[in-house]
């Protein structure tokens, strides 16, 4: 079991960006949780189920199946690398 089997769509914030990559053509795109909730019409779906059923939006690619990841929203504005 991974985090994708235990995390439901309803558990994440609506502002949390989600990254997806097609497993066939390797096209990468971002999708919001609101868009996914509108597609499935409920939040009782795990990320593993989303991965199995998410279709690639790239023109010409009709593959169904993608890798899904949560994109971290960290504020790094105070960090200055290597500056004295």
């Amino acid at each position: 079991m991974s985090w994708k089997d235990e995390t439901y769509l309803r558990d994440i914030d609506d502002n949390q960006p989600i990254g997806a990559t097609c497993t066939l053509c390797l096209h990468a795109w971002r999708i919001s949780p609101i868009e996914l909730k509108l597609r499935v019409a409920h939040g009782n779906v795990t990320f593993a189920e989303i991965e199995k059923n998410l279709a690639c939006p790239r023109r010409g690619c009709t593959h169904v199946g993608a890798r899904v990841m949560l994109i971290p929203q960290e504020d790094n504005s105070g960090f200055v690398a290597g500056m004295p």
Side-chain angles (χ1 to χ4, degrees), residues 46-66:
T46 63
F47 276 91
E49 294 171 333
I50 291 171
E51 279 189 332
K52 286 186 231 172
N53 299 314
L54 191 61
C56 180
R58 186 176 185 185
R59 187 175 177 175
C61 181
T62 58
H63 183 70
V64 175

Side-chain angles (χ1 to χ4, degrees), residues 9 35-45 50:
L9 186 58
E35 290 178 55
L36 288 174
K37 288 176 185 175
L38 290 173
R39 286 185 187 183
V40 297
H42 59 81
N44 288 334
V45 62
I50 291 171

